[in-house]
Amino acid sequence: MVEQFRKKSPEEILQSISKMHRGRLKIILGAVSGSGKTYHLLMEGQSLKKKGIDVVLVRTGEATHPKLEQKREGLEQIPSIEWNRLGQTRHDLDVDALIARDPEVVLVDGLAYRNRPDAPRATRYEDVQTLLQHNISVIATVNIYELSGMKELAERLTKLEVQIEQCVPEDTLAQADEVKLLDVTPEAILKRLQEDEGNLSRTRHPLFRRDNLHMLRELALRFVANGVNDDLEDYRERHGMVGASGATERILVSAQYHWNGSILVRRGQQVAKRLGGELLVVCFRLAGKKQTREEATFHRAILKLVDKVGGVFEEQALHRPQAVASELVAYAIDKKVTRIVMGQSKRTRWEEIWYGSIVHKILRQTKNIDILIVADRSERDGERVLPTKRRAAPINPYRRLSEAEMEEEIGKIKRGSLKVYVGAAPGVGKTYTMLREGNELTQNGIDVVIGLLETHGRKETTEQVGTLPLIPRKRIPYKNATLEEMDTDEIIRRNPDVVLVDELAHTNVPGSQLEKRYQDVERILSAGISVISTMNIQHLESLNDSVEQITGIRVHETVPDQILHQADEVELIDISPKALRQRMREGNIYAMEKVEQSLANFFKTGNLIALRELALREVADDVDERLEAWERRTLRGPWRQREVIFVCVNLRADSERLIRRGFRIAYRLKASWHVAYVQDHQPLTDEERIQLEKLKKLTERLGGCFEQYEAASKRKVFTKLVLHMNEKHATQVVIGQSARTRWKEIRDGSVIQRLLREVRHMDVLVVADHVPDTN
């Protein structure tokens, strides 16, 4: 930790002192009006007041909902300056009165607001800056499209003119001490507006169409995720951590001024788009070598294309041709790249033995960067385009459903709905929010019960239980003890409208009917009972490797991704790492004796920033998937060509990671996917049989198709794999990094190089041996 011993400069000391005399700014960000920002603003005020903080509220309009008026009760309110514009009463902040009152915190709704023409300052944003300079902290609300720069992007996405009177500066969130994204599903927003008679007209506004709400929500999630990524990179740089964090994808295309350069850039852009990552393009050029006319033409074309697709281009000088692999790796590590995209090698087998393979050189020099070798288009006619949507088989409306199909459709109709609150870590407020929603549903006449609750001794959470009835836990005798677990049978017998089930990823105690809690939830849903549940992002099965890379901890309790994807609603509970660590210090998450250990391990600032970014991007991807699913139901027309992913595994320990990677690629590309193992010896050992069963179960849990083949010898394994790849019309092959040494590759041949020669018409993704951060 070099940073803590470095002497601060006079400028840094002055800056730190000035911060002590400046108030804190917290922004509550929403995707759109109606997402509940004002409600949460008032809740924050009530919470601070309970802790003895001097809080005042600026009343900037009349309450439009009884719930808001209820939350205002007990908060001191400072009158605003009223004025009239076009027959409408307006409310400016009375900054002088606020400075004279000098509270610790001011609650301000609607940061994007223009003051009266003769006001000392033109905007509410400037008023807030004045309060901060007087050491008064401010909590304010803003919508994503009210940020300068985001308005134009929101209009481009929705194809609507967004009517707002004032934008706030684009760096408002970056300048804030804390940003809390209020993630709310379109379904929840539309339901709130329909329940609020004063807002019924809004539901008819084009901005509140379901698809536009989806797009604005995704815009907010990705915008905050990008800001979190900047914070993460700053943190890792300060602590001397190199390479990619594991929280986000960054795609690097290694191109040459050649005819296929544009193909590689387009392929890289498609991959970056589907993986929600950034695109970088680099070209290594021999120092001192003059560009030919043809190279200059391709150079201009690549520059134009990279600019068009929103990538970043850079040219790097190369002093020795043999150093291209090491230079590329050094560049990729410096840029925190997660995947290198490159073209097929033109070298023969003997040239690769003599000079070495660039792919192998790259893989030997780094453990955390995958390589995607793009199919040679010249091998097959026509350029393959990544699909954005699945192709559905046309349905004949006159065909009668079979008995089995009829039962399946009736099951879907009867099935309860599932809502999942997702958080970046324990203690963000998932259970608290779930209980609050349960109480609100009860007030609206819905029969809600608590099926399973884990308060972990948190007082705030316990207080939220209110009058909600709790289903007693089932007692299960095990050896010489009695264990307790959720009583699924009793929940189904009780038959409520909604059941609240905490900690979806929980493994049931020994002796339970089902192994995992999510399986109990499936039973409850099938019985026609709706479920609201909670989980942390690290428990998502396909993110298991990323979480280990970030935290150094392998999470053993996981939930299959399809459970989350099949949920009717997924909502993120967002909180800044700084606020979460403060909650931990106050004893609001774990018992005080566990606090220091937790802060030094899983709850390290770097871990929390990375997990927050992971959660933001995962929910944003889920929103994107739901929008596409909605479009598939409402739009007509053919979809683009279908991808097929083929994952090759053996019985090595890293095969589970290959399956997870194959699933995430297939899910992002809306592709079908297969996992193949070729058995080349008889019989399997007990250890091998156990490992094989684990691979099968993992594939099935993630929704893939596991296939096992047999070969007479090791030499026949490769032939068998290629045969089945071609049979399934695979478009992308996923394989692991070779365990062979350089000399073994020369003697026995390289599996990767042989594969690249045999299947030049397919993309080949070589997954590196990822290692977790040790800092």
Side-chain angles (χ1 to χ4, degrees):
M1 301 284 257
V2 177
E3 187 71 18
Q4 71 185 83
F5 296 107
R6 187 178 62 80
K7 186 180 286 186
K8 289 185 178 178
S9 67
E11 292 79 10
E12 288 174 321
I13 292 170
L14 283 173
Q15 189 178 15
S16 298
I17 293 170
S18 68
K19 281 184 178 178
M20 292 169 62
H21 294 286
R22 181 179 170 84
R24 284 176 54 82
L25 174 61
K26 178 172 181 175
I27 301 287
I28 299 175
L29 176 70
V32 69
S33 298
S35 55
K37 299 180 301 300
T38 306
Y39 182 83
H40 277 76
L41 176 79
L42 297 171
M43 279 181 60
E44 291 268 1
Q46 295 287 5
S47 177
L48 290 172
K49 186 184 173 187
K50 279 184 183 178
K51 293 175 182 176
I53 304 295
D54 183 15
V55 185
V56 300
L57 167 68
V58 180
R59 187 131 189 182
T60 55
E62 294 304 315
T64 57
H65 199 283
K67 279 202 302 186
L68 294 182
E69 196 56 59
Q70 187 183 359
K71 283 295 173 188
R72 284 191 176 109
E73 287 179 9
L75 289 174
E76 181 185 345
Q77 298 185 37
I78 302 294
S80 55
I81 299 172
E82 293 189 3
W83 59 288
N84 192 279
R85 188 183 75 174
L86 302 175
Q88 184 183 13
T89 303
R90 311 275 293 165
H91 300 265
D92 291 5
L93 302 189
D94 192 338
V95 175
D96 292 337
L98 288 166
I99 292 171
R101 168 62 178 77
D102 194 29
E104 291 176 279
V105 180
V106 175
L107 308 178
V108 178
D109 204 8
L111 190 59
Y113 173 90
R114 178 168 290 280
N115 291 333
R116 62 198 185 280
D118 60 341
R121 289 161 294 275
T123 65
R124 184 167 291 169
Y125 174 82
E126 293 172 66
D127 287 341
V128 165
Q129 292 300 316
T130 302
L131 294 174
L132 295 174
Q133 288 161 13
H134 282 79
N135 201 15
I136 297 172
S137 294
V138 176
I139 304 176
T141 65
V142 72
N143 290 314
I144 187 66
Y145 50 77
E146 292 171 334
L147 297 173
S148 181
M150 287 298 104
K151 179 180 182 291
E152 292 76 13
L153 184 53
E155 288 177 335
R156 198 156 68 244
L157 287 170
T158 62
K159 297 181 175 60
L160 295 171
E161 186 177 349
V162 179
Q163 298 290 341
I164 54 176
E165 63 179 61
Q166 180 67 39
C167 283
V168 298
E170 195 170 353
D171 66 349
T172 299
L173 300 191
Q175 299 302 321
D177 298 276
E178 185 180 343
V179 175
K180 180 175 182 177
L181 173 64
L182 204 57
D183 180 45
V184 185
T185 63
E187 293 78 12
I189 290 173
L190 292 171
K191 186 179 177 183
R192 286 175 191 172
L193 293 177
Q194 285 164 359
E195 289 172 353
D196 185 356
E197 292 181 6
N199 276 315
L200 276 175
S201 59
R202 272 196 201 171
T203 60
R204 292 187 287 272
H205 192 284
L207 191 67
F208 288 86
R209 277 196 345 231
R210 190 182 299 271
D211 56 336
N212 286 334
L213 291 176
H214 273 295
M215 281 186 274
L216 291 171
R217 182 188 179 199
E218 185 181 353
L219 180 63
L221 284 158
R222 294 203 189 281
F223 184 80
V224 175
N226 289 337
V228 173
N229 182 250
D230 293 340
D231 294 341
L232 180 59
E233 290 194 359
D234 289 345
Y235 176 90
R236 290 173 66 83
E237 192 174 314
R238 288 199 311 272
H239 289 78
M241 301 164 79
V242 298
S245 67
T248 186
E249 294 275 358
R250 187 169 283 181
I251 312 302
L252 174 65
V253 175
S254 175
Q256 298 297 313
Y257 301 139
H258 187 256
W259 67 269
N260 71 342
S262 295
I263 293 173
L264 294 178
V265 172
R266 284 196 176 279
R267 182 63 166 153
Q269 185 262 341
Q270 291 168 338
V271 171
K273 182 180 178 183
R274 296 311 305 164
L275 297 179
E278 297 176 57
L279 175 68
L280 308 175
V281 180
V282 66
C283 181
F284 287 92
R285 193 161 160 265
L286 275 173
K289 184 185 175 186
K290 191 176 179 181
Q291 256 186 8
T292 65
R293 184 177 296 179
E294 186 182 47
E295 286 175 334
T297 302
F298 284 125
H299 184 184
R300 288 192 297 272
I302 287 173
L303 276 175
K304 188 176 178 180
L305 178 59
V306 172
D307 181 63
K308 181 181 177 182
V309 300
V312 176
F313 178 84
E314 194 171 347
E315 185 176 272
Q316 290 283 300
L318 186 66
H319 298 284
R320 293 185 305 111
Q322 295 83 357
V324 65
S326 55
E327 290 289 333
L328 182 56
V329 168
Y331 183 86
I333 291 173
D334 180 59
K335 299 296 182 182
K336 301 174 178 59
V337 164
T338 58
R339 184 174 304 192
I340 296 172
V341 177
M342 55 197 302
Q344 294 267 11
S345 171
K346 299 297 180 185
R347 289 177 176 176
T348 66
R349 166 150 163 69
W350 297 111
E351 284 176 326
E352 283 170 355
I353 290 172
W354 185 256
Y355 296 110
S357 157
I358 290 177
V359 171
H360 276 259
K361 285 180 180 178
I362 292 169
L363 290 170
R364 276 195 291 270
Q365 292 177 53
T366 177
K367 294 292 184 184
N368 288 322
I369 302 176
D370 299 340
I371 302 178
L372 177 65
I373 300 98
V374 177
D376 189 340
R377 191 177 67 162
S378 63
E379 294 291 314
R380 292 281 175 98
D381 292 332
E383 182 179 354
R384 187 161 47 80
V385 179
L386 282 182
T388 55
K389 301 171 178 71
R390 283 199 174 99
R391 287 193 305 179
I395 298 171
N396 188 329
Y398 297 102
R399 186 182 69 81
R400 288 183 180 142
L401 296 177
S402 68
E403 198 169 312
E405 289 171 330
M406 186 72 77
E407 284 182 13
E408 186 181 344
E409 289 302 314
I410 292 170
K412 288 178 184 176
I413 294 167
K414 287 182 175 179
R415 183 180 169 86
S417 65
L418 173 63
K419 179 172 184 175
V420 182
Y421 284 110
V422 175
V428 299
K430 302 179 300 297
T431 305
Y432 179 96
T433 309
M434 177 183 73
L435 290 169
R436 194 184 73 222
E437 182 172 3
N439 278 295
E440 288 175 1
L441 289 171
T442 300
Q443 289 169 12
N444 290 328
I446 305 295
D447 181 16
V448 182
V449 301
I450 298 173
L452 196 289
L453 179 63
E454 298 286 2
T455 65
H456 299 288
R458 297 167 194 161
K459 186 182 175 185
E460 288 180 350
T461 304
T462 305
E463 287 174 353
Q464 278 297 309
V465 172
T467 58
L468 291 171
L470 179 67
I471 302 291
R473 298 191 187 198
K474 187 175 186 178
R475 296 169 68 81
I476 301 171
Y478 179 73
K479 294 185 177 179
N480 297 323
T482 300
L483 307 175
E484 293 185 338
E485 197 51 84
M486 182 171 74
D487 195 338
T488 305
D489 292 331
E490 178 58 24
I491 291 169
I492 293 172
R493 190 201 65 76
R494 168 67 172 73
N495 194 30
D497 294 320
V498 180
V499 61
L500 310 181
V501 179
D502 218 357
E503 298 187 0
L504 190 60
H506 170 79
T507 301
N508 291 335
V509 300
S512 299
Q513 183 181 349
L514 296 168
E515 182 187 357
K516 303 287 290 186
R517 186 165 291 164
Y518 70 77
Q519 294 172 318
D520 286 309
V521 165
E522 281 289 306
R523 271 194 68 203
I524 294 168
L525 292 168
S526 297
I529 301 167
S530 294
V531 177
I532 302 176
S533 192
T534 66
M535 67 173 285
N536 292 318
I537 198 65
Q538 68 263 27
H539 295 294
L540 199 61
E541 175 68 62
S542 69
L543 292 178
N544 206 257
D545 304 308
S546 295
V547 171
E548 185 181 21
Q549 184 183 339
I550 290 166
T551 66
I553 298 167
R554 172 65 71 174
V555 176
H556 295 290
E557 290 192 319
T558 58
V559 172
D561 292 55
Q562 64 179 3
I563 300 295
L564 204 62
H565 300 156
Q566 289 170 2
D568 299 272
E569 290 185 59
V570 176
E571 202 166 298
L572 177 72
I573 305 300
D574 186 45
I575 186 173
S576 71
K578 189 173 182 179
L580 187 57
R581 281 173 62 86
Q582 183 59 35
R583 291 200 69 212
M584 174 69 80
R585 289 190 189 95
E586 292 170 355
N588 292 326
I589 300 176
Y590 295 147
M592 291 304 293
E593 59 268 20
K594 293 183 180 178
V595 168
E596 289 307 318
Q597 183 186 359
S598 298
L599 288 173
N601 291 286
F602 189 84
F603 281 78
K604 284 191 295 191
T605 300
N607 286 352
L608 295 179
I609 298 172
L611 288 169
R612 185 188 184 199
E613 182 179 358
L614 207 61
L616 284 159
R617 293 192 187 281
E618 188 63 31
V619 176
D621 288 338
D622 182 77
V623 173
D624 180 53
E625 168 72 7
R626 288 170 194 277
L627 177 58
E628 289 187 358
W630 182 82
E631 287 175 341
R632 285 198 296 273
R633 290 195 302 270
T634 56
L635 301 179
R636 295 180 181 178
W639 304 122
R640 283 177 275 174
Q641 185 177 343
R642 179 168 161 260
E643 288 271 329
V644 178
I645 310 301
F646 195 95
V647 184
C648 304
V649 298
N650 52 30
L651 300 181
R652 281 170 51 188
D654 66 343
S655 287
E656 290 181 49
R657 187 175 69 252
L658 294 179
I659 293 171
R660 292 190 190 96
R661 185 58 59 89
F663 161 75
R664 289 194 71 76
I665 294 166
Y667 176 65
R668 294 287 172 263
L669 302 184
K670 314 297 180 288
S672 60
W673 63 294
H674 306 264
V675 176
Y677 165 67
V678 181
Q679 185 176 334
D680 59 8
H681 62 282
Q682 294 283 356
L684 295 178
T685 65
D686 290 345
E687 190 177 327
E688 286 174 330
R689 278 198 300 273
I690 291 169
Q691 179 63 12
L692 180 60
E693 193 59 31
K694 281 174 70 177
L695 298 181
K696 283 181 182 176
K697 284 184 176 178
L698 178 59
T699 304
E700 288 164 5
R701 253 196 338 263
L702 291 172
C705 179
F706 189 92
E707 294 165 10
Q708 184 174 344
Y709 311 119
E710 289 189 4
S713 67
K714 285 185 184 293
R715 290 183 176 275
K716 300 289 184 183
V717 169
F718 181 83
T719 307
K720 183 73 76 170
L721 284 171
V722 171
L723 172 69
H724 288 285
M725 287 174 201
N726 286 320
E727 273 185 2
K728 296 197 166 29
H729 305 290
T731 56
Q732 186 171 155
V733 181
V734 180
I735 59 175
Q737 187 170 341
S738 173
R740 291 178 178 178
T741 63
R742 170 91 171 106
W743 293 113
K744 275 191 176 181
E745 284 171 3
I746 292 173
R747 187 188 67 197
D748 302 327
S750 161
V751 174
I752 293 173
Q753 290 305 322
R754 190 178 172 193
L755 184 65
L756 291 174
R757 284 194 299 275
E758 291 285 337
V759 293
R760 296 181 73 87
H761 55 288
M762 302 179 197
D763 288 352
V764 177
L765 177 67
V766 185
V767 178
D769 288 335
H770 288 245
V771 293
D773 277 331
T774 55
N775 292 288

